[in-house]
């Protein structure tokens, strides 16, 4: 009888140890599965997740800053900056112009008036700001690069090349349009300009 009791106690102890070890192993594998599932789940799988690029775009747009191809619409104008480029100025006959470069911004203006109002483009003022120095440059519409008309019929569009003379080409400028008829509060980043071995 004594041997049976000892054998029973031994069997219970052994089964307790085996059960405890298998439970710990099973628990670990369940935990590992949960961790692996979390690792497999990426932000792309979540339809509500916002990528870093989209988040940066949202922050930029909340500040009223647009980039090439983006536009802003008011009651009279829909304005979109298509692109921008830079040119090196060639001095002419003793001209000592301190502005050695020209930045040209291509901007599309649409007349989106619901009332049929003809837009007077001559009232638009164009500005290029150097954020580093906070210096502003006034834009000009060169007659050889732009249509000769200053009026824009409803539901029509026109692309203008606005020219700015600048002393150096910077990494970034801010382009804006002033209008009394339809105030435009957004600004466009002007980047990726050719620097010409300055």
């Amino acid at each position: 009888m004594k041997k049976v009791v000892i054998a029973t106690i031994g069997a219970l102890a052994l089964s307790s140890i085996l059960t405890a070890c298998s439970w710990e192993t099973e628990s670990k594998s369940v935990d590992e599965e949960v961790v692996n599932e979390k690792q497999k789940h990426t932000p792309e799988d979540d339809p509500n997740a916002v990528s870093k690029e989209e988040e940066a775009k949202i922050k930029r747009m909340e500040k009223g800053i647009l980039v090439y191809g983006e536009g802003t619409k008011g009651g009279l104008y829909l304005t979109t900056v298509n692109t921008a480029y830079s040119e090196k100025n060639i001095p002419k006959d003793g001209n000592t112009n301190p502005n050695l470069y020209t930045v040209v911004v291509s901007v599309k203006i649409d007349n989106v008036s619901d009332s049929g109002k003809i837009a007077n483009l001559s009232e638009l003022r164009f500005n290029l700001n150097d954020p580093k120095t906070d210096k502003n440059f006034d834009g000009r519409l060169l007659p050889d690069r732009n249509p000769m008309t200053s009026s824009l019929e409803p539901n029509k569009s026109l692309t203008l090349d606005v020219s700015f003379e600048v002393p150096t080409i910077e990494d970034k400028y801010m382009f804006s349009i002033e209008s009394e008829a339809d105030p435009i509060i957004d600004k466009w980043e002007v980047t990726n300009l050719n620097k010409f071995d300055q």
Side-chain angles (χ1 to χ4, degrees), residues 143-157:
D144 62 331
R145 295 187 183 182
N146 292 290
M148 297 305 283
T149 183
S150 65
S151 62
L152 186 59
E153 297 287 327
N155 302 317
K156 300 287 182 187
S157 66

Side-chain angles (χ1 to χ4, degrees), residues 95-190:
N95 184 358
T96 57
N97 183 355
N99 296 319
L100 301 173
Y101 304 95
T102 299
V103 174
V104 179
V105 178
S106 174
V107 60
K108 181 180 176 189
I109 310 285
D110 292 273
N111 183 340
V112 294
S113 171
D114 292 332
S115 65
K117 182 177 179 181
I118 295 174
N120 178 10
L121 300 180
S122 65
E123 67 101 13
L124 297 176
R125 300 290 172 251
F126 304 97
N127 183 36
L128 192 69
N129 176 268
D130 178 356
K132 279 187 189 174
T133 62
D134 200 32
K135 187 169 182 181
N136 292 315
F137 305 95
D138 293 328
R140 296 182 303 142
L141 296 175
L142 301 177
D144 62 331
R145 295 187 183 182
N146 292 290
M148 297 305 283
T149 183
S150 65
S151 62
L152 186 59
E153 297 287 327
N155 302 317
K156 300 287 182 187
S157 66
L158 198 59
T159 299
L160 303 173
D161 285 341
V162 185
S163 178
F164 300 90
E165 290 189 353
V166 296
T168 60
I169 302 296
E170 299 298 333
D171 293 329
K172 178 172 85 170
Y173 290 100
M174 298 305 293
F175 172 77
S176 61
I177 303 171
E178 295 174 18
S179 167
E180 289 185 23
D182 186 14
I184 301 167
I185 58 171
D186 294 314
K187 298 176 189 297
W188 286 265
E189 269 185 8
V190 175

Side-chain angles (χ1 to χ4, degrees), residues 3 27 56 58 61 79 89 93-94 123 151 178 198:
K3 288 183 182 180
S27 175
I58 290 168
M61 291 183 90
T79 51
N89 293 337
D93 301 328
E123 67 101 13
S151 62
E178 295 174 18
Q198 295 182 57

Side-chain angles (χ1 to χ4, degrees), residues 24 30-31 57 59 62 84 104 119 131 140 148 160 193 195:
E24 187 176 310
V30 168
D31 290 342
K57 180 180 178 180
K59 285 181 182 178
E62 284 175 348
V104 179
R140 296 182 303 142
M148 297 305 283
L160 303 173
L193 299 172
K195 292 204 173 198

Side-chain angles (χ1 to χ4, degrees), residues 8-47:
T8 307
I9 293 174
L12 285 174
L14 183 61
S15 66
S16 296
I17 291 172
L18 290 176
T19 304
C21 289
S22 70
W23 181 81
E24 187 176 310
T25 305
E26 195 174 300
S27 175
K28 280 184 183 176
S29 65
V30 168
D31 290 342
E32 287 170 1
E33 285 177 25
V34 170
V35 169
N36 288 339
E37 282 298 315
K38 285 182 181 178
Q39 288 173 344
K40 287 180 188 175
H41 184 70
T42 62
E44 292 118 21
D45 296 336
D46 186 2

